[in-house]
Amino acid sequence: MKDFIASVLTDFATGYNIMNRSYREFNDRTVIEQMDADQKAFNNYVPPRSDNPDESWRAQTIRPVTRNKIISIAAHVTSQIIFPNVFAQNDRDQEDQDAASVMRDLVEWVVDNSDYSRQFVYAVIGSLVNPATIVKMEFAEAFRLIRTRHANGTITTKEALDDIFSGFITSIVPTDELFIANIREPNIQKQRFLIRRRFIDINEANALHGK
């Protein structure tokens, strides 16, 4: 167990260093600093007025050129591929239309029963703004204790499925929350380790992971 904990801590330190190391591709900024700079540009950040009298007279206005271009690109992308298409082949590399139709129905059902559409738009905008975008999709079942008062005055408790926190969940993982082993590897499946450092409300954590 000590060796396992030590290896986890070593990987955590590796991921932390990757996030806080400067890169030439980011104009010698770290990943965190580049995210901050890109998000300020997208949100039309106006820096505080200078205390220097020779500079303070200058206008602080910023034209939303970057923001408008990003929103335009995102609108064109999402209008074309917001619902993924499915093509299937059998073991002889022949098109299997029946299997593809079934899978398309399943994908459509997942999209209709999750927050996929909105999160997809966020993912596209995030890809245009941040150094990277990570989309996470999972199926969760969360239960809550429900108290029921009976006619005789007794109270019983039972577990009930929480419709809000259960089902297919699509979420955007902020770039600074995911620690990876190799920043040069774009395929997340080939990363030696993935560590997510996430801050959530304690009640939400109990609902999702109480057991």
Side-chain angles (χ1 to χ4, degrees):
M1 180 60 71
K2 288 184 177 180
D3 293 338
F4 175 75
I5 294 176
S7 67
V8 171
L9 292 177
T10 300
D11 291 343
F12 188 94
T14 300
Y16 181 87
N17 290 333
I18 287 176
M19 285 293 168
N20 292 274
R21 181 189 306 157
S22 60
Y23 297 92
R24 182 63 59 87
E25 297 90 335
F26 296 152
N27 294 323
D28 293 324
R29 298 191 185 105
T30 67
V31 176
I32 308 298
E33 291 171 344
Q34 185 63 42
M35 284 181 59
D36 182 65
D38 292 342
Q39 291 174 9
K40 284 180 177 178
F42 176 72
N43 292 309
N44 300 325
Y45 173 74
V46 179
R49 189 175 295 276
S50 174
D51 293 332
N52 186 347
D54 295 333
E55 300 289 339
S56 61
W57 64 271
R58 298 177 182 271
Q60 298 293 101
T61 56
I62 294 179
R63 296 177 60 192
V65 176
T66 302
R67 183 184 184 90
N68 292 343
K69 286 185 176 181
I70 287 176
I71 292 176
S72 176
I73 295 172
H76 283 84
V77 172
T78 54
S79 64
Q80 298 295 325
I81 60 172
I82 191 168
F83 292 103
N85 205 350
V86 178
F87 300 94
Q89 292 179 333
N90 58 22
D91 55 359
R92 295 185 297 275
D93 292 336
Q94 297 172 339
E95 185 178 1
D96 192 338
Q97 295 182 354
D98 293 336
S101 177
V102 172
M103 287 305 299
R104 278 194 290 268
D105 290 341
L106 292 174
V107 169
E108 185 178 350
W109 184 87
V110 171
V111 170
D112 292 338
N113 290 272
S114 68
D115 198 24
Y116 173 82
S117 300
R118 184 164 62 95
Q119 295 295 339
F120 181 81
V121 174
Y122 289 165
V124 172
I125 294 176
S127 300
L128 296 169
V129 175
N130 295 311
T133 297
I134 304 103
V135 181
K136 179 182 179 182
M137 195 162 192
E138 58 185 336
F139 184 84
E141 284 189 341
F143 294 88
R144 291 186 181 274
L145 284 177
I146 304 298
R147 293 183 179 182
T148 304
R149 183 183 295 275
H150 301 280
N152 58 6
T154 60
I155 298 176
T156 59
T157 60
K158 66 175 182 179
E159 283 191 339
L161 186 66
D162 191 322
D163 294 333
I164 302 298
F165 290 101
S166 298
F168 284 96
I169 301 174
T170 306
S171 58
I172 307 298
V173 179
T175 307
D176 56 345
E177 284 191 5
L178 189 69
F179 290 172
I180 58 177
N182 183 6
I183 197 172
R184 309 296 180 187
E185 175 54 66
N187 188 345
I188 199 170
Q189 300 294 335
K190 294 182 180 180
Q191 293 290 342
R192 184 174 60 82
F193 66 83
L194 298 171
I195 299 176
R196 184 176 184 186
R197 181 184 60 173
R198 185 185 179 200
F199 298 95
I200 62 175
D201 184 82
I202 184 63
N203 294 324
E204 180 183 351
N206 283 330
L208 293 173
H209 313 290
K211 292 187 177 181

